Amino acid sequence: MQWQDKGIVLSSKKHGERALILKFLTNHNGVYSGVVRYGTSKKIRYMFEPGNLLSLTWRARLPEQMGSFQCDALELYTSKIINKPLHLSALCSHTSLLDLLLPERENCSNIFTSSMDLIEQLSSKSKLWMYDYIRWEIYFLSELGFGLDLKKCAVTGKKESLTYVSPKTGRAVSREAAGKWADRLLPLPSFIINDYYDAELFGKNLQEGIKLSSYFLNKYSELIGLKLPYARNAFVKKISK
Amino acid sequence: MESVEIKTLIKLMSKVPGLGPRSARRAVLTLLQNPKKKMIPLAEMMLKTANSIKLCSMCSNIDVHDPCLICQDDKREHSTICVVEEIADLWAIERTGIYKGRYYVLGGVLSALDGVSSEDLKISQLLNHINNNSVDEVILATSATVAGQTTSYYILDLLKDKKIKITKLAQGMPMGGELDYLDEGTIGAALNLRQIINED
């Protein structure tokens, strides 16, 4: 049994003295774990940092076995991010969410593609990567089957001036329809539904965006009996400052 | 056929990092062939060290003295602290013979996967140590990995309001390193941190 694919490193764990157990998000095979023999060797250890893109060959005698990986570096994104504290924190949050919430061995090519786009953004000099990060979390929720319906107002059906989200249903609510319930609803920053960026409202939009994604990520993870990872909480704390 | 005692000895020896059952068997055989010269002194020294080993209350280093010999040494700079992940890292820096300050051993790195949070490391003790001693410089000597740098940035956040110089180890080409075999990250860091060549 053998396949070849490319994958993003999600986590690594020492196995014995010389081997590592690596977990990847692959393009066509979903999240996959496997042993990398001599993975602790100085010659190849640098590849196995979370966020790096590797070319993988997975081998096992039977498909249900854990199997082993042979890896080669395709793009070492981590080295471009490691000296930027906030970017690194976002990368850790991103990989730890994938590691925690995605089921193993289920194809999720869309999540792989969106994750690659986000990691590209993190390693580039773009100043808008924080918006992309929050949009990725909202997208990730929808891929997990917990999507928010942000296309039209849940009350009036209108597509204009959508400014809130119902915490109960995850559906958008327009300013007029919100009325006196506005303080019970979650604010919906405009950058989540369109590509419009308001430089003056950068901080406010960011806080509202992270509050929105945090609320629904927490709700989802509680439903499946998990807690959001430490790395994600640390990132939220960092950008809230 | 080995006796139960020898089998147990081999089993215990194979638990040491770097030794598997085969190499443990070879090591035990060497010791058994010369018990007076090799085995008894080793056993006596192991017992003596095991009975007197202590964790330094100042830097969390392992030594038979508390404070450890590094913390006791008055010739070392008291105002500089090098923060390392593990005792092995402290020993590695000591082997260079270049650093003349003091150390602080964190006891690991922040890791979401292994569930290691800031409470599991000796970060609050480090802050107390810095507050109680007149420290001018803190060198964050964590490894150049995602976990190592995350830990480093976490400590940096806690220390940035204090009037202390905070530095980290340089990244670049290792001694004997050939460019062709280095990863892009290391080459990039080496290029970014290139130096002017002085004749002296």
Side-chain angles (χ1 to χ4, degrees):
Chain A
M1 182 83 201
Q2 176 175 329
W3 52 253
Q4 283 185 318
D5 202 346
K6 50 186 178 180
I8 305 166
V9 181
L10 296 184
S11 60
S12 67
K13 218 170 189 181
K14 236 180 153 187
H15 179 64
E17 276 183 49
R18 291 176 190 165
L20 290 173
I21 293 180
L22 262 289
K23 199 172 184 181
F24 293 99
L25 169 62
T26 63
N27 192 1
H28 302 296
N29 296 281
V31 173
Y32 240 87
S33 295
V35 177
V36 177
R37 295 196 179 93
Y38 302 103
T40 56
S41 151
K42 282 176 194 167
K43 284 182 186 168
I44 57 168
R45 180 73 186 90
Y46 67 89
M47 286 198 285
F48 306 126
E49 291 295 322
N52 281 338
L53 181 69
L54 309 183
S55 151
L56 308 171
T57 306
W58 180 84
R59 279 192 196 94
R61 196 170 59 82
L62 299 167
E64 58 268 27
Q65 288 175 332
M66 181 182 244
S68 64
F69 281 115
Q70 232 173 1
C71 311
D72 206 356
L74 287 178
E75 198 73 52
L76 300 172
Y77 290 107
T78 315
S79 58
K80 296 175 188 167
I81 298 171
I82 205 161
N83 289 321
K84 298 186 267 188
L86 205 53
H87 291 68
L88 184 66
S89 183
L91 178 74
C92 290
S93 171
H94 172 237
T95 51
S96 61
L97 279 175
L98 291 170
D99 186 20
L100 183 79
L101 299 177
L102 281 181
E104 285 211 25
R105 300 191 177 196
E106 277 184 31
N107 189 349
C108 46
S109 294
N110 292 343
I111 298 178
F112 175 83
T113 312
S114 66
S115 295
M116 278 313 307
D117 291 344
L118 178 67
I119 295 173
E120 285 272 4
Q121 281 292 313
L122 285 173
S123 59
S124 72
K125 287 177 180 169
S126 161
K127 287 179 181 170
L128 300 171
W129 66 268
M130 283 199 215
Y131 284 151
D132 292 320
Y133 178 86
I134 295 166
R135 279 211 292 243
W136 177 82
E137 283 195 341
I138 303 283
Y139 172 76
F140 184 50
L141 274 167
S142 70
E143 285 290 318
L144 290 170
F146 215 73
L148 309 183
D149 180 4
L150 305 175
K151 283 184 181 153
K152 58 181 184 185
C153 174
V155 184
T156 62
K158 281 184 181 173
K159 291 182 180 177
E160 294 85 36
S161 66
L162 301 173
T163 45
Y164 297 101
V165 177
S166 161
K168 211 169 180 182
T169 61
R171 296 179 71 187
V173 180
S174 65
R175 186 175 289 119
E176 306 91 70
K180 59 180 179 179
W181 292 284
D183 56 343
R184 292 191 199 172
L185 302 172
L186 294 163
L188 173 64
S190 58
F191 76 88
I192 289 181
I193 40 177
N194 53 44
D195 278 339
Y196 174 69
Y197 299 109
D198 193 335
E200 282 182 20
L201 294 172
F202 180 77
K204 186 175 174 275
N205 276 344
L206 211 62
Q207 296 305 327
E208 288 174 351
I210 205 78
K211 191 178 169 190
L212 184 68
S213 63
S214 294
Y215 180 85
F216 288 103
L217 274 174
N218 268 314
K219 203 170 170 180
Y220 176 76
S221 56
E222 274 170 22
L223 266 179
I224 55 170
L226 294 170
K227 269 186 171 180
L228 286 184
Y230 172 81
R232 207 251 170 202
N233 296 336
F235 173 63
V236 172
K237 218 172 159 185
K238 224 169 183 149
I239 60 167
S240 302
K241 281 180 184 173
Chain B
M1 279 291 284
E2 298 116 358
S3 65
V4 180
E5 288 84 355
I6 295 175
K7 271 186 182 167
T8 314
L9 189 59
I10 292 170
K11 203 176 167 187
L12 288 172
M13 193 71 102
S14 67
K15 299 258 162 70
V16 175
L19 294 183
R22 233 168 220 279
S23 38
R25 190 180 293 269
R26 277 212 307 275
V28 167
L29 187 62
T30 312
L31 293 172
L32 290 174
Q33 281 169 339
N34 209 340
K36 278 187 185 168
K37 269 192 176 175
K38 290 182 179 169
M39 203 170 190
I40 294 170
L42 178 69
E44 282 176 353
M45 188 45 82
M46 283 176 102
L47 192 66
K48 193 179 163 190
T49 315
N51 286 334
S52 54
I53 201 77
K54 291 180 186 87
L55 203 66
C56 175
S57 53
M58 291 177 79
C59 70
S60 303
N61 183 16
I62 276 183
D63 204 344
V64 291
H65 307 279
D66 182 21
C68 68
L69 288 179
I70 296 174
C71 290
Q72 278 184 32
D73 191 350
D74 289 332
K75 287 178 190 162
R76 298 185 82 107
E77 284 174 41
H78 290 199
S79 57
T80 310
I81 292 181
C82 180
V83 179
V84 291
E85 290 170 16
E86 301 286 356
I87 294 165
D89 302 329
L90 185 156
W91 288 357
I93 297 178
E94 270 303 281
R95 279 201 302 271
T96 65
I98 293 171
Y99 179 64
K100 297 292 176 203
R102 286 185 173 182
Y103 294 93
Y104 197 88
V105 184
L106 288 174
V109 281
L110 297 174
S111 166
L113 180 70
D114 301 324
V116 182
S117 66
S118 52
E119 291 85 38
D120 301 312
L121 304 179
K122 292 169 187 154
I123 294 177
S124 57
Q125 292 95 315
L126 169 69
L127 293 180
N128 286 339
H129 186 73
I130 292 169
N131 288 334
N132 299 336
N133 297 282
S134 53
V135 175
D136 296 331
E137 183 179 355
V138 174
I139 305 168
L140 297 172
T142 51
S143 25
T145 59
V146 168
Q149 291 306 300
T150 304
T151 311
S152 180
Y153 294 137
Y154 181 80
I155 298 171
L156 179 70
D157 268 351
L158 297 174
L159 293 178
K160 67 183 174 192
D161 295 332
K162 300 183 191 295
K163 286 177 183 170
I164 301 172
K165 185 177 163 189
I166 301 163
T167 54
K168 67 171 200 169
L169 298 184
Q171 284 169 275
M173 284 185 69
M175 282 292 172
E178 290 173 47
L179 274 176
D180 195 23
Y181 287 96
L182 290 181
D183 64 289
E184 295 92 321
T186 309
I187 298 173
L191 272 172
N192 286 336
L193 301 168
R194 64 190 182 275
Q195 295 173 336
I196 295 167
I197 302 172
N198 289 322
E199 282 186 14
D200 293 333

